[in-house]
Amino acid sequence: MGGSVTASASAEMSLHACLNGTTFKIQSLKLGPIPPTGSSSPLVFHKCKTPLPVPRPIKCKAHSTSATVQTSPSTIKALDEKGGKPQWKATIDFKWIKDNKEAVAVNLRNRNSDANLDLVLHLYDKMFNLQKEVERVRGERNAVANKMKGKIEPSERQRLIEEGKNLKESLIALEEDLVKLNDELQQEAQRIPNTTHPDVPIGGEDFSTIRKMVGSCPEFSFPVKDHLQLGKEHDLFDFDAAAEVSGSKFYYLKNEAVLLEMALLNWTLSEVMKRGFTPLTTPEIVRSSVVEKCGFQPRANNTQVYSIDDSDQCLIGTAEIPVGGLHMDSILADSLLPLKYVAFSHCFRTEAGAAGTATRGLYRVHQFSKIEMFIFCRPEESEYYHEELIKIEEEIFSSLGLHFKTLDMASEDLGAPAYRKFDVEAWMPGLERFGEISSASNCTDYQSRRLGIRYRPSEAPVISAKKSKGNVAPTKFVHTLNATACAVPRMIICLLENYQQEDGSVLIPEPLRPFMGGLTMIARKS
């Protein structure tokens, strides 16, 4: 990310479209200056470089994230016995876990986690004792080596040679055991979820509490249609052709639905950029280790992730993953924090196990477009930025005139990375219920400990009698937060169903009209 964009940079775009035989020009869209990130300093960070993989044919299959996350900020290129998966180790504070085992146990119960705390503690104690044994044998071997430096009898030298040889063999065996034990400890410990905010409701999804209710249900004096009926009448979707081409839960958008997607994306992007976020597009194929480092562990046997055969790569389910990996294995300058990004990407999900009426049409699909917000910040600021993210979401959905509620999600619905999570559910008249359209999560240092993202505080230098490199303050892990600004398919559902008219037309919300060439409604086809 070495380049920079000047404050005077701007772009202009215009588009011609043809609907129902009428050609019109979509209003020129001017992208203003990219808002500053809060500092005029160039982005400075240190990054570990790894060689690029050899390109391979892409063959996708469902990939289970049930394999627990394995390793640390720095990726260790050791290969496992079963076929070459890179190992990595997270920076987990095992001493803290041991010293707070009662609190950790309660947290596991509250989250309904299957992590085995007793096994983690047993492996940690075993590794601690084995490490001491390794150090003892290494010390004995060094002592034998030192004895051989002086003048000694030949018989004594031969005895020391044999003793040193035996100690070397013992040390090699112990170190191999230590490596295996450390890998096993990492595998088990990384199943332990993040800690939980004290205000989070305890229990399953039904125990989630309402933080805010905005607007009211729209009243209709005519039979309400769902988005599938409206899409058919206006020729907006083609699920049948997509099923033949790609399979179930894929779709073609057509006519005004295409303009609506583009309008939602461009309007949302411009709104979030006004609030100081830097725009990104991201890779949509990432290493499986990055998916794991972001904490995407399974809640059941079903998986949401597509993997690529014969590779260590996956399709992303959210831009949170590649944006989280943007500063992987880095030490960020304190003056640059917070780093705020707003990313566009396509997202791919298997939606395994999904069933029921709530999966019809666009509600639950395998591929969709999304705008995601992501923040790297100092630990003491993450709760403040969590509130900022949910406020941005609420402002966006209020501007579109939606009736929605914001929920403080219960402990069992947080997922492994989140310390606290707010969901937004909007009223969908066709479903006659609220449906989730967004979420905002504070992941504290759960992801940064796995991704290896630190910063060095700019406070006064550490005063120490011992000389060190400048006596600078030690590094700390950043906190990470993510939030959905716009998930296109569900937003299209909300807009079509809430803005439908008695004559069959659908009004376009005013904020989106400049991004749709001035269209004010989707008129019925003749």
Side-chain angles (χ1 to χ4, degrees):
M1 301 297 293
S4 62
V5 182
T6 62
S8 62
S10 64
E12 185 169 322
M13 176 176 65
S14 62
L15 175 67
H16 291 270
C18 180
L19 294 174
N20 304 326
T22 304
T23 302
F24 58 94
K25 180 179 178 181
I26 291 184
Q27 177 177 316
S28 294
L29 170 63
K30 292 187 178 180
L31 299 179
I34 294 178
T37 57
S39 169
S40 59
S41 305
L43 185 62
V44 179
F45 56 89
H46 308 282
K47 203 166 189 79
C48 299
K49 295 182 179 179
T50 56
L52 293 174
V54 177
R56 310 174 190 210
I58 295 179
K59 294 184 287 180
C60 291
K61 69 174 183 180
H63 170 72
S64 176
T65 48
S66 59
T68 42
V69 190
Q70 295 233 25
T71 334
S72 105
S74 41
T75 301
I76 301 172
K77 295 292 181 181
L79 302 180
D80 68 15
E81 297 177 356
K82 291 189 177 180
K85 183 178 179 181
Q87 300 297 298
W88 58 273
K89 289 183 170 59
T91 306
I92 296 174
D93 192 341
F94 292 104
K95 186 177 184 304
W96 184 91
I97 293 174
K98 183 174 181 178
D99 292 345
N100 297 272
K101 60 183 180 182
E102 291 84 7
V104 175
V106 170
N107 188 51
L108 294 180
R109 288 196 300 272
N110 289 344
R111 285 176 172 252
N112 195 28
S113 170
D114 62 357
N116 190 334
L117 177 60
D118 290 338
L119 179 56
V120 170
L121 295 175
H122 169 72
L123 291 172
Y124 174 66
D125 288 339
K126 188 175 178 180
M127 192 185 75
F128 183 78
N129 293 331
L130 185 57
Q131 180 67 54
K132 289 170 66 175
E133 179 66 11
V134 167
E135 292 170 357
R136 183 190 67 78
V137 174
R138 187 179 289 126
E140 289 184 8
R141 187 187 176 205
N142 291 339
V144 168
N146 289 332
K147 287 180 183 178
M148 293 179 65
K149 292 178 181 178
K151 289 185 178 181
I152 54 177
E153 294 294 326
S155 59
E156 178 65 10
R157 180 176 296 277
Q158 186 60 39
R159 187 189 69 79
L160 290 174
I161 289 173
E162 288 298 321
E163 184 180 356
K165 180 181 177 182
N166 292 335
L167 288 170
K168 179 182 178 181
E169 291 175 352
S170 296
L171 186 60
I172 290 173
L174 287 170
E175 288 177 336
E176 288 177 352
D177 290 342
L178 187 62
V179 169
K180 292 177 182 177
L181 187 58
N182 190 29
D183 285 344
E184 188 179 358
L185 174 60
Q186 279 283 326
Q187 183 173 346
E188 293 298 329
Q190 288 174 24
R191 295 170 60 193
I192 296 176
N194 202 349
T195 55
T196 305
H197 190 286
D199 292 340
V200 167
I202 305 302
E205 184 178 0
D206 292 343
F207 288 86
S208 301
T209 58
I210 297 176
R211 282 169 46 93
K212 181 185 288 188
M213 184 74 78
V214 177
S216 57
C217 291
E219 296 182 0
F220 298 95
S221 59
F222 54 89
V224 174
K225 301 170 185 175
D226 65 15
H227 73 285
L228 285 172
Q229 292 173 285
L230 293 165
K232 184 175 182 180
E233 291 178 4
H234 294 283
D235 194 23
L236 301 178
F237 321 126
D238 194 332
F239 291 95
D240 294 334
E244 292 295 324
V245 171
S246 302
S248 63
K249 297 182 183 176
F250 287 94
Y251 56 95
Y252 286 96
L253 294 184
K254 301 170 65 178
N255 299 315
E256 292 95 339
V258 177
L259 303 183
L260 191 54
E261 168 161 328
M262 297 303 159
L264 282 165
L265 294 172
N266 282 291
W267 174 73
T268 302
L269 189 65
S270 66
E271 288 297 307
V272 178
M273 286 173 61
K274 290 176 186 176
R275 293 160 171 85
F277 286 70
T278 299
L280 292 176
T281 60
T282 74
E284 294 173 356
I285 296 177
V286 298
R287 298 184 187 277
S288 57
S289 60
V290 178
V291 177
E292 294 169 345
K293 289 176 184 181
C294 287
F296 285 84
Q297 299 178 5
R299 301 174 194 171
N301 294 327
N302 297 317
T303 176
Q304 294 297 320
V305 181
Y306 285 107
S307 70
I308 299 174
D309 279 352
D310 304 320
S311 81
D312 68 340
Q313 295 172 314
C314 301
L315 303 182
I316 64 170
T318 168
E320 172 190 347
I321 297 167
V323 180
L326 179 62
H327 298 300
M328 187 167 60
D329 299 327
S330 303
I331 299 176
L332 303 172
D334 183 40
S335 60
L336 295 176
L337 297 178
L339 287 171
K340 300 180 177 182
Y341 295 107
V342 54
F344 163 76
S345 76
H346 297 102
C347 304
F348 305 88
R349 300 182 184 181
T350 68
E351 295 297 351
T357 56
T359 66
R360 294 178 66 239
L362 292 175
Y363 192 84
R364 202 175 295 279
V365 291
H366 290 310
Q367 176 184 337
F368 59 96
S369 302
K370 183 158 73 80
I371 300 288
E372 184 80 2
M373 299 180 285
F374 199 99
I375 296 177
F376 300 90
C377 70
R378 301 173 189 87
E380 63 272 17
E381 298 172 340
S382 64
E383 290 198 45
Y384 169 82
Y385 287 115
H386 196 200
E387 292 291 340
E388 179 180 289
L389 288 172
I390 193 64
K391 182 180 178 183
I392 292 172
E393 290 179 336
E394 290 170 350
E395 289 173 349
I396 286 172
F397 304 138
S398 294
S399 296
L400 293 175
L402 300 181
H403 170 41
F404 64 89
K405 58 183 176 180
T406 306
L407 302 170
D408 195 348
M409 300 308 293
S411 56
E412 293 181 18
D413 201 55
L414 293 178
Y419 173 67
R420 192 177 194 181
K421 180 164 75 95
F422 301 141
D423 276 6
V424 179
E425 295 183 354
W427 181 251
M428 299 179 179
L431 287 176
E432 298 184 328
R433 69 172 184 82
F434 287 93
E436 181 187 343
I437 59 171
S438 181
S439 67
S441 298
N442 181 1
C443 297
T444 62
D445 63 355
Y446 185 92
Q447 293 175 328
S448 61
R449 283 180 174 272
R450 288 153 173 77
L451 291 162
I453 308 173
R454 304 170 184 256
Y455 77 103
R456 193 179 301 280
S458 58
E459 58 214 29
V462 177
I463 299 174
S464 172
K466 295 183 180 180
K467 290 186 177 180
S468 63
K469 292 184 179 180
N471 286 333
V472 295
T475 60
K476 296 181 179 179
F477 289 103
V478 299
H479 279 195
T480 62
L481 304 97
N482 64 84
T484 301
C486 177
V488 169
R490 294 191 186 180
M491 291 302 295
I492 288 179
I493 293 174
C494 289
L495 297 181
L496 293 180
E497 293 185 0
N498 282 283
Y499 281 93
Q500 61 182 294
Q501 305 297 303
E502 189 170 6
D503 64 359
S505 63
V506 179
L507 295 180
I508 304 297
E510 288 192 13
L512 300 181
R513 293 176 185 178
F515 297 85
M516 293 189 67
L519 274 181
T520 60
M521 69 171 63
I522 301 174
R524 291 202 63 164
K525 305 293 184 289
S526 56

